[in-house]
Amino acid sequence: MSDSVDAVVDDAGEGDAQEMEFFMEDMRASARGCLTEMDFGRYRSLTTLRIVKQRGVTSLAGLEACAALKVLFVAECALRTLDGCETCTGLEALYVYGNAIESLSALNTDGLQRLHTLWVNDNKLSNLDGCERCSALMELNAARNVIVYVPDVGSFYNLKHLNVAGNPIQSWSAIKIASRVLSLTLKDDVHGACSVARSKWYRSYAVVAMPNLEMLDGKSIDEDERERARNEHGNRRLAYNARCAYVRHIYRKGHARAREHLHKATCGIEAELLRARATDCVDDITSILQRIVALERAFETCEINAQKLMTTLMRQSFRDSELVSETLSESRFAFAKAEWDHTMSIDSLAAEFDSFVKDYEEMLTNRGLPATVYKRQLSDVLITANIKTVNLHDIGLIDVPIDLCACTNLHALMLGNNRVKRLTNFPHLDSLRVLDLGHNKLWKSADLNVLSSRVPHLTWLCLRGNRQWLANPKFYTSIVLKRLDKLQTLDGIAIDEDLRM
């Protein structure tokens, strides 16, 4: 202890000193870096203790004797933890800036219920876990640490002033508690700025987003500034909406062109499918169906990629405009960090659909010969027990002929391109292995249950091109695979174990 401090204590009488200060290495710390050698128990009335730039102090052990302590400075020392301060139950203000503290876990106690001011700036904190129990906290200075997130803890209901300047905070979502404080500092001349405070419209955004805020970065917010911020925000919103409308227009234009190309390319392949059905060639039908599915999947992939790109462009536009989220559709953008690649642009969105059209352009130029449709009547088919294949494609059927039940050895039944709506009268055909019901008017999922009971040994099935529920393979595939456990090919696609699961 310095001679000056001893003189003050002697004049005041040992135990009557209320304030003590140690500056620039003028105190004795133990070899372990704690304060036990100072024998603070002699100063029963000590309420304020300042220890500044004492590099030998690494621990607060020894403060338990300061029962009356209210204000404690241990600044620019070498503290690594706050262990020991929890015994000072009357502590109201704690200043421990400029140390090497990595955790506030020592504050996680009921002994600091009077603490209203906490300065832990210029330390090595990565979070503020531990100070949740300090329910009386009104001022928190955690500037220039490595904090990326400030929790909105319910016990911080008294917090009025928050300083997190100079921390690597990337978005407003990381400081949601900011909407409840009166004074917020995200950048200052001493500690620098958070990442979120370096944006173009940062102050304007904060004023609009946090109407309760009275002071930002040490500068008061008056009504004139609020009005200017609201006007600026309105103009940015108009620009954002115009940008989004243009992005959607480009998407819809490209999508319509790609879908038209898909339709034309599919029609050419469908003509080949009609010829294959007329010749009873199951292998050709399977191959053609696979081509159609590959084309549709390519379009779906292109569509998904374009949707993701459109969303990313809109999110980036939202972030550039620095808007306060107002609608449900924008809430997904409000605090999100856009997955932004600087090569992405409106041109990239248009090119996504153009690439699909270009890749499958040859399908429009090589459509082959027109389909040859073999006209026949149901009476032309000889129904016998020994018949193996019955081809009734494209003859205008509205129901499955019940007479087919006489074909006890039937292996393949081609019913594509008809107008069959229901399978209620479908005959029992235990020997049937191949069934083509594509391009009919089936629509009810209950008909899939009929197939499981009437043709239990089916290995090849085509349902492509029907109506309503049965128009979407994503809907009926799982149902069919559960009902027909022997099925090996559906709409030309081989069934594997992954698909069954």
Side-chain angles (χ1 to χ4, degrees):
M1 191 188 313
S2 66
D3 295 338
S4 60
V5 175
D6 282 332
V8 171
V9 174
D10 291 340
D11 292 341
E14 189 171 294
D16 294 332
Q18 295 185 349
E19 294 189 18
M20 297 183 68
E21 179 174 335
F22 301 90
F23 183 72
M24 292 291 291
E25 311 293 344
D26 61 356
M27 71 173 294
R28 298 185 303 273
S30 71
R32 294 176 298 171
C34 57
L35 305 175
T36 51
E37 288 191 7
M38 299 305 301
D39 192 16
F40 285 116
R42 295 183 296 162
Y43 312 111
R44 294 180 298 275
S45 300
L46 187 63
T47 59
T48 302
L49 175 61
R50 296 184 181 89
I51 303 174
V52 182
K53 292 188 177 181
Q54 306 289 336
R55 306 309 298 178
V57 178
T58 60
S59 170
L60 296 180
L63 284 181
E64 58 273 5
C66 302
L69 196 63
K70 294 183 178 181
V71 180
L72 174 62
F73 284 79
V74 184
E76 300 179 61
C77 297
L79 287 180
R80 290 189 289 270
T81 71
L82 292 179
D83 293 338
C85 71
E86 68 276 5
T87 59
C88 303
T89 57
L91 201 61
E92 297 177 358
L94 177 60
Y95 302 88
V96 287
Y97 53 85
N99 286 282
I101 301 170
E102 297 181 352
S103 173
L104 300 180
S105 58
L107 302 180
N108 191 16
T109 175
D110 293 330
L112 297 174
Q113 295 299 308
R114 297 183 182 180
L115 187 66
H116 56 70
T117 301
L118 176 62
W119 284 32
V120 289
N121 48 301
D122 294 286
N123 279 283
K124 298 181 179 180
L125 295 170
S126 60
N127 58 68
L128 296 174
D129 295 346
C131 57
E132 304 90 351
R133 305 281 285 275
C134 302
S135 57
L137 200 61
M138 299 179 65
E139 179 180 355
L140 175 58
N141 186 342
R144 201 153 55 191
N145 282 278
V146 287
I147 297 169
V148 296
Y149 178 73
V150 181
D152 187 7
V153 181
S155 59
F156 284 170
Y157 51 82
N158 286 317
L159 191 63
K160 299 294 187 295
H161 308 279
L162 175 64
N163 186 343
V164 287
N167 282 285
I169 296 175
Q170 300 290 331
S171 70
W172 289 99
S173 61
I175 44 174
K176 290 182 179 179
I177 193 175
S179 62
R180 297 199 285 114
V181 299
L182 300 180
S183 174
L184 175 65
T185 302
L186 295 180
K187 65 178 180 179
D188 58 32
D189 295 336
V190 176
H191 302 100
C194 294
S195 301
V196 72
R198 296 190 177 100
S199 56
K200 181 179 180 180
W201 301 103
Y202 149 69
R203 187 172 180 90
S204 174
Y205 176 95
V207 171
V208 174
M210 292 171 282
N212 294 329
L213 205 60
E214 297 178 357
M215 183 173 291
L216 178 62
D217 298 336
K219 182 181 178 181
S220 297
I221 302 172
D222 56 26
E223 286 305 316
D224 289 341
E225 183 178 9
R226 291 188 191 280
E227 184 63 26
R228 289 196 304 272
R230 284 192 288 265
N231 291 336
E232 289 175 354
H233 186 269
N235 292 335
R236 297 201 303 275
R237 177 165 290 283
L238 287 175
Y240 163 73
N241 289 335
R243 172 76 170 177
C244 288
Y246 184 59
V247 170
R248 293 189 187 99
H249 168 72
I250 295 299
Y251 172 83
R252 290 166 182 161
K253 182 179 178 181
H255 186 272
R257 180 166 176 253
R259 183 167 284 283
E260 181 182 3
H261 181 87
L262 172 67
H263 174 70
K264 291 180 180 179
T266 303
C267 285
I269 303 175
E270 294 283 4
E272 298 179 34
L273 180 61
L274 194 60
R275 287 197 302 272
R277 281 173 170 157
T279 56
D280 303 336
C281 185
V282 176
D283 290 341
D284 287 349
I285 294 174
T286 300
S287 176
I288 294 169
L289 286 173
Q290 289 174 349
R291 289 167 56 196
I292 294 175
V293 171
L295 182 61
E296 290 178 339
R297 287 181 176 176
F299 175 78
E300 289 177 2
T301 300
C302 170
E303 188 177 39
I304 292 172
N305 291 338
Q307 287 174 349
K308 289 180 178 179
L309 180 55
M310 179 177 66
T311 302
T312 301
L313 287 170
M314 292 170 66
R315 183 189 292 121
Q316 179 64 23
S317 180
F318 188 93
R319 293 187 64 218
D320 290 345
S321 302
E322 295 184 52
L323 297 177
V324 180
S325 178
E326 294 182 357
T327 67
L328 183 62
S329 62
E330 291 171 355
S331 63
R332 56 186 170 151
F333 300 154
F335 301 113
K337 181 179 180 181
E339 298 173 0
W340 181 248
D341 181 347
H342 290 289
T343 62
M344 293 181 181
S345 64
I346 294 293
D347 294 337
S348 301
L349 181 59
E352 188 69 39
F353 288 112
D354 290 343
S355 64
F356 170 80
V357 174
K358 183 179 180 180
D359 290 343
Y360 294 91
E361 190 72 42
E362 60 183 33
M363 289 191 175
L364 297 182
T365 57
N366 298 316
R367 292 176 58 177
L369 299 174
T372 301
V373 180
Y374 297 92
K375 296 294 183 181
R376 60 169 66 81
Q377 301 292 330
L378 180 59
S379 57
D380 295 337
V381 179
L382 182 62
I383 304 298
T384 66
N386 295 326
I387 194 169
K388 297 285 186 179
T389 301
V390 173
N391 191 334
L392 297 175
H393 93 283
D394 198 24
I395 64 172
L397 286 176
I398 60 175
D399 204 351
V400 180
I402 191 65
D403 296 343
L404 291 174
C405 63
C407 302
T408 55
N409 293 313
L410 188 63
H411 177 81
L413 177 57
M414 318 304 289
L415 297 173
N417 297 90
N418 284 290
R419 298 195 296 274
V420 178
K421 294 182 178 180
R422 298 298 307 275
L423 298 179
T424 309
N425 296 325
F426 199 96
H428 287 273
L429 298 170
D430 289 341
S431 61
L432 194 66
R433 300 294 185 272
V434 177
L435 176 59
D436 183 2
L437 288 168
H439 292 87
N440 277 278
K441 296 186 177 182
L442 296 172
W443 62 276
K444 200 172 182 64
S445 59
D447 288 325
L448 302 180
N449 296 328
V450 174
L451 292 179
S452 64
S453 60
R454 309 290 172 84
V455 283
H457 303 294
L458 207 60
T459 60
W460 192 100
L461 175 64
C462 177
L463 288 172
R464 174 186 166 78
N466 281 283
R467 305 291 180 87
Q468 294 186 16
W469 295 111
L470 298 186
N472 188 353
K474 293 181 180 179
F475 170 78
Y476 64 70
T477 297
S478 59
I479 299 176
V480 168
L481 296 184
K482 289 180 180 178
R483 300 292 187 273
L484 301 170
D485 57 353
K486 294 182 175 60
L487 196 66
Q488 298 175 6
T489 304
L490 177 61
D491 293 338
I493 303 301
I495 307 300
D496 55 21
E497 291 302 320
D498 293 337
L499 191 58
R500 288 191 181 278
M501 294 177 63

